[in-house]
Amino acid sequence: MKLWVSTCNNHKLREIGEILGPGFEIASLLDFRDFPDVEETGMTFQANAAIKARVLWEHVHEPVFADDSGLEVDALNGRPGVNSKRYSAPDPTSEKNIDKLLTELDGIPDERRSARFRCAIIYIDSTGREHLFEGTLEGRIARERHGTGGFGYDPVFWLPTKNCSVAECRAEEKNAISHRGRAVSALKAFLTK
Ligand code: IMP
C-alpha cells in the first residue's frame, strides 16, 4: 500500500518506515521539489497534524498521514508542547532546545521532572475521511544528556523503567514503546485489519 507522509524529517521517516514494516511504500514531502511550508498554527498536536495532512491530501488525493509530536513537561505547565521544535526560536536547533530546557529546569528535583512525549497522527483515506491515532511515552527530564541515538529531546528524556535515556535505546526498543511507535502501530492495525 502506498502511503504519503507529511514530513521532511528524515529521523521521523526512518522511524515510521521501521514501525510500518514491509508492505508499505512510503512517499513524503522529500519527493516534491518545492513543497510549500505549512504553518503549524494549531493549539494541539491533533490540530497541527490535521493541518499538515490536509495540505498534502489536497496535493495528492491519495491516502496520507501527518504526525505532530512534542514534549510536555509538567513543571513547565506542559511546555514546550506544540512548540517543541521551535522552543529555542528564533533560530532553533535540537541542541539549543535541550540547553533551554535544562536551564528552565535547573534546580527542579527529580520527582518534579516528569514529562511525556505525545504524538497525534491524522490519516486521511482515499475518500478524504479523517482518522485520529494517538500515543504517549511517559518519563522524566534528566539533568544532563545521555547517549547519541534518536533525535530531538531523546538524550534528556529519561526512562525510569529502563534506567536509560531514549537516546541510549536501540531503534527497535524505542519504536516498541514510543509515542510515535504506539500511534503508528495503531494506524497500521487499522490499515491491515
Ligand atoms: P513536529 O515535527 O512539528 O511534530 O515537531 C516535533 C518536535 O518534537 C521535534 O522537532 C522534536 O523536537 C520533538 N520530538 C517529537 N518526537 C520526538 C522524539 O521521538 N524524540 C525526541 N524529540 C521528539
Side-chain angles (χ1 to χ4, degrees), residues 63-85:
V64 307
F65 86 80
D67 112 309
D68 198 62
S69 50
L71 178 69
E72 289 178 354
V73 180
D74 293 326
L76 302 177
N77 297 317
R79 281 190 295 117
V82 290
N83 288 317
S84 293
K85 197 161 117 189

Side-chain angles (χ1 to χ4, degrees), residues 28 111 125 160:
S28 76
E111 62 274 17
D125 64 27

Side-chain angles (χ1 to χ4, degrees), residues 85-94 96-97:
K85 197 161 117 189
R86 306 176 290 269
Y87 190 38
S88 59
D91 196 15
T93 64
S94 291
K96 287 199 253 172
N97 287 343

Side-chain angles (χ1 to χ4, degrees), residues 12 40 68-70 84-85 117 151 153-154 174 179-180:
K12 274 192 186 181
E40 298 179 26
D68 198 62
S69 50
S84 293
K85 197 161 117 189
F117 279 128
F151 72 100
Y153 297 92
D154 282 348
K174 177 179 178 184
H179 50 312
R180 190 167 304 98

